[in-house]
Amino acid sequence: MLDQFQRKIEYLRISVTDRCNLRCIYCMPVEGVQWMPHDSILSFEEILRLMRISTQLGFRRFRITGGEPLVRKGILDFLREGAIIPGVEDFMITTNGLLLPKMAFDLKAAGVQRVNISLDTMDSERFRAITRVGEVSSVIQGVFRSLEAGLDPVKINVVVVRGVNTDELPNFLKLAKQYPLHVRFIELMPIGISSKQRADFVPIQEMKELLGLKENILTQGILGGGPAEYVQPRGFKGSIGFISAMSRHFCDTCNRVRLTADGKLRPCLHSKNEVSLRDALRNGTSDEILRDLFAQAVWHKPAKHHMNDEALQGQRVMSQIGG
Ligand code: SAM
Ligand code: SF4
């Protein structure tokens, strides 16, 4: 469907849980956050109903995220049902990868087409420093299991944080050269606990310099039209990309809205304006009225984000929104 600014909105990111088996420094405090009470989290049946309603409004692309989506009990059954909803054309998941060694083939069998894996470092000590728990070897194994399982493409999301992993960018470049992996370097966003860490922010331009990429290489083979700028340098099996929410707005072409685990439709990642669908879902509201509520929230999607204005962002941390 179109919003009031004539943008075609067809992409729904669904957070199925706020729980996570990691505690990444830029995402969650070490002690975790106050978890949402179980009964406030949408059941899978409720999420599937909203997916069906959204397809009637023209939504075609769905990304399952969290917290960590693979820790939620029953996730594979949910994915199996979501994948076959008429109108679902693109069905993907974002994960920290820890559980992929045992789940990659199951995801593929359930109908998930592609996977984004968050991996900011390939060094085990540094991984611990960033995620506070977990073994990087499991994530790396998960990356290769995903390739073997035929999830395609497998994308690696690298959040670049000054003084934490800036020196590792060339290693990720090598990874994209050797394997058919799409490595995307992401600017740190000032959300939740990261809102006070702006000294850590590395702009895309600086990342390109750290990678030693020349602009003339960058203009070869741009692969995508979305928020990521993709490049496939000659001789690479994979590609690299840059996602800049801060130094380059992509609000004009934004095509997505988000559903939080507690049933709020969030038209912009960076705006605290949310519409609760949970109560409507639970008090016998018809599909027709739910569809209207959904459509109204999408229609009122803001023209652009106000990420630099903390008062407008709201209190959620990234793990509660889903990235
Ligand atoms: N747990 C899953 C994972 O880590 O992939 C899915 C949820 S996580 C919130 C989604 C993405 O948001 C991850 O790639 C993570 O690196 C990214 N993220 C979290 N906090 C961020 C921040 N402040 N700035 C940029 N990206 C962030
Ligand atoms: Fe968990 Fe993902 Fe947040 Fe890391 S980025 S704490 S893995 S939700």
Side-chain angles (χ1 to χ4, degrees):
M1 66 169 283
L2 296 180
D3 72 359
Q4 60 179 324
F5 303 105
Q6 303 303 305
R7 290 171 298 195
K8 190 174 180 197
I9 314 297
E10 55 168 10
Y11 179 5
L12 182 61
R13 284 199 180 188
I14 302 172
S15 171
V16 294
T17 179
D18 63 332
R19 269 70 166 176
C20 188
N21 45 1
L22 295 181
R23 295 282 179 279
C24 301
I25 47 172
Y26 47 73
C27 182
M28 265 203 219
V30 67
E31 66 283 5
V33 286
Q34 174 102 47
W35 305 125
M36 295 169 183
H38 273 291
D39 59 359
S40 75
I41 291 188
L42 294 189
S43 66
F44 283 137
E45 290 69 29
E46 289 168 329
I47 299 174
L48 289 165
R49 185 172 169 207
L50 290 177
M51 282 180 70
R52 286 188 197 100
I53 283 171
S54 69
T55 57
Q56 292 159 14
L57 291 167
F59 280 75
R60 294 290 173 262
R61 308 178 61 197
F62 295 84
R63 174 174 300 285
I64 307 306
T65 176
E68 174 48 41
L70 299 184
V71 299
R72 183 158 171 187
K73 223 168 134 204
I75 185 76
L76 288 172
D77 291 334
F78 159 73
L79 293 170
R80 223 170 274 127
E81 289 193 45
I84 54 169
I85 291 176
V88 174
E89 290 174 3
D90 206 2
F91 200 44
M92 348 168 219
I93 196 160
T94 296
T95 168
N96 61 32
L98 273 187
L99 295 172
L100 282 175
K102 65 171 189 195
M103 291 179 81
F105 278 81
D106 296 336
L107 292 178
K108 177 73 182 171
V112 173
Q113 295 156 359
R114 47 207 185 103
V115 65
N116 285 9
I117 303 168
S118 305
L119 179 66
D120 302 331
T121 177
M122 290 182 271
D123 175 86
S124 59
E125 268 182 44
R126 201 176 270 192
F127 184 80
R128 274 293 169 98
I130 297 173
T131 63
R132 299 189 178 110
V133 270
E135 292 297 334
V136 73
S137 54
S138 305
V139 183
I140 293 174
Q141 209 189 327
V143 169
F144 290 104
R145 284 295 278 176
S146 301
L147 286 174
E148 282 164 33
L151 292 161
D152 184 22
V154 177
K155 294 187 184 174
I156 309 291
N157 285 352
V158 185
V159 176
V160 180
V161 186
R162 188 177 306 286
V164 173
N165 61 354
T166 31
D167 59 338
E168 250 189 283
L169 269 50
N171 295 345
F172 281 103
L173 194 67
K174 279 189 208 142
L175 196 69
K177 184 168 188 186
Q178 272 182 286
Y179 301 100
L181 293 167
H182 301 265
V183 176
R184 291 130 37 103
F185 299 104
I186 300 176
E187 282 182 353
L188 184 65
M189 286 185 269
I191 288 190
I193 62 163
S194 286
S195 59
K196 304 268 182 298
Q197 296 178 358
R198 293 184 193 191
D200 298 352
F201 175 73
V202 182
I204 297 286
Q205 189 50 40
E206 190 179 334
M207 295 180 200
K208 288 176 181 171
E209 284 159 20
L210 287 165
L211 285 164
L213 289 177
K214 299 203 176 63
E215 286 301 328
N216 63 351
I217 294 186
L218 287 176
T219 54
Q220 291 168 11
I222 301 283
L223 302 177
E229 176 193 357
Y230 288 102
V231 193
Q232 188 166 31
R234 237 175 250 123
F236 272 50
K237 290 197 170 138
S239 69
I240 53 168
F242 299 92
I243 301 187
S244 152
M246 298 301 293
S247 47
R248 192 172 61 91
H249 274 214
F250 43 82
C251 306
D252 286 353
T253 53
C254 185
N255 60 355
R256 65 198 62 179
V257 294
R258 292 170 165 79
L259 179 67
T260 65
D262 55 350
K264 310 267 170 64
L265 202 60
R266 192 173 169 108
C268 171
L269 173 61
H270 307 290
S271 162
K272 64 181 169 191
N273 290 334
E274 296 175 340
V275 173
S276 177
L277 298 174
R278 189 187 62 212
D279 297 341
L281 273 168
R282 292 181 181 177
N283 65 16
T285 305
S286 67
D287 278 4
E288 203 180 345
I289 294 179
L290 268 176
R291 196 161 51 235
D292 282 351
L293 279 174
F294 204 114
Q296 275 172 34
V298 175
W299 177 259
H300 290 293
K301 182 173 163 66
K304 63 185 175 88
H305 70 64
H306 299 274
M307 212 176 335
N308 291 313
D309 185 342
E310 283 169 29
L312 292 172
Q313 282 182 34
Q315 299 306 312
R316 288 185 189 263
V317 296
M318 195 68 125
S319 59
Q320 293 170 325
I321 309 172

